[in-house]
Each structure stands twice: as structure tokens, then as C-alpha cells.
Amino acid sequence: MIWIKKILISLAILLIPMAMMNCKKNEKQANTASVETQVSDKSKVKIYYFHGKQRCKTCVTIQKIAEEAFKENFAENNEVAFIEVDFSDRANTVLADKYEISFSSLVIATATDHIDLTELAFSNALSNPDLLKQKVIENTNKYLKQN
């Protein structure tokens, strides 16, 4: 009888944190759902960070670097937006399909053009983050000058 109590207590200890984590995931999904409706029409250049539900260290670092590049250089510019997109969320399927996204990706886009920095991002996020940040800034500025 005592061992049954111990098993039940152990299960409760394991399941409660898992349930709490799931609630946070659902809350985050609701926050990132249908991101196109959240973006200002004034933003001419969009820095998209696409991700799925699970992310590795490199994926998390890519988002961090791209978001830093945005915050440090374009946060005050209404013509630029940083947008985190969970491509596994059905609400974001159209956007993910538009840029042919099937795994974590970094895309800088305008209404008529885009550049996919994913390969560069994965190659440099951990080993040369400054180069990745520089490329995000350069390409964003390039698109700002074109429009």
C-alpha cells in the first residue's frame, strides 16, 4: 500500500510541471498565431524568424541574434518589423507556404522580394554571431533603400 502512495506522489510530481509547461506553450501559440494580422501595414521590411514547436540551441540563438539586430538598429523605424512565426501552427500555414518554410528559417522580406538567410544563420549563429547580425542589418537596409 505504501508503494502505491509513493508511485502516485511521484506521478503527481512529474505530471504537474508538464501540465504547466503545456499551458505556457498554448499561451505562446495564441500570442504568435496569425502573425500577419499583427504586423503594421506601415512595415515595408519584415524580418521573419520561423520556428516549430521544438528548437535546438542554434535555432534559439538565431532568433536571439536576429531580434537583437532589429532592436538595436530598427526598433524605432515603423517601416521594419521583427516577426516570430510558429510555422507548425495552422494559422500560419499560408505565410509559411509563401516562403516555402519547413524548418526553422530566417527570412527578410518586402511585399515583392525576399532573401532567405537560413543557411548563413545556421552556419554562423554559434561560431560567428556578429557576421549573422551584420547580414541581417545589411539586408534590411538594402530593402529599406529599395522601397
Side-chain angles (χ1 to χ4, degrees):
M1 190 69 162
I2 293 175
W3 62 273
I4 293 175
K5 272 187 171 177
K6 288 183 180 179
I7 290 174
L8 290 174
I9 290 171
S10 296
L11 283 173
I13 290 171
L14 290 172
L15 293 177
I16 289 172
M18 290 174 69
M20 292 174 69
M21 287 174 31
N22 193 32
C23 288
K24 288 198 181 266
K25 278 186 189 176
N26 289 338
E27 181 181 306
K28 182 154 182 138
Q29 285 177 348
N31 290 339
T32 59
S34 195
V35 293
E36 276 298 295
T37 59
Q38 299 172 7
V39 179
S40 167
D41 290 337
K42 295 179 184 177
S43 61
K44 294 179 182 178
V45 181
K46 295 170 181 67
I47 303 168
Y48 288 111
Y49 171 67
F50 292 91
H51 64 81
K53 290 183 186 205
Q54 294 183 330
R55 294 185 260 179
C56 66
K57 180 180 180 179
T58 304
C59 295
V60 172
T61 304
I62 291 169
Q63 178 182 359
K64 180 181 172 237
I65 293 167
E67 201 163 7
E68 282 177 4
F70 167 75
K71 287 179 179 176
E72 293 171 5
N73 297 277
F74 306 106
E76 302 295 321
N77 187 338
N78 290 335
E79 293 184 333
V80 181
F82 177 83
I83 306 160
E84 177 185 351
V85 182
D86 181 349
F87 67 82
S88 65
D89 186 333
R90 288 184 183 166
N92 299 321
T93 300
V94 172
L95 184 61
D97 288 348
K98 179 179 180 178
Y99 297 108
E100 301 177 353
I101 304 299
S102 58
F103 55 89
S104 292
S105 302
L106 180 60
V107 175
I108 301 175
T110 65
T112 59
D113 196 11
H114 73 278
I115 184 166
D116 187 338
L117 296 178
T118 304
E119 188 175 326
L120 177 86
F122 275 94
S123 298
N124 292 284
L126 298 176
S127 62
N128 195 354
D130 290 337
L131 175 64
L132 175 56
K133 185 184 282 189
Q134 176 188 344
K135 292 299 181 182
V136 170
I137 295 165
E138 283 177 12
N139 283 286
T140 302
N141 280 325
K142 178 182 93 174
Y143 283 131
L144 279 172
K145 289 176 184 169
Q146 287 179 358
N147 291 313

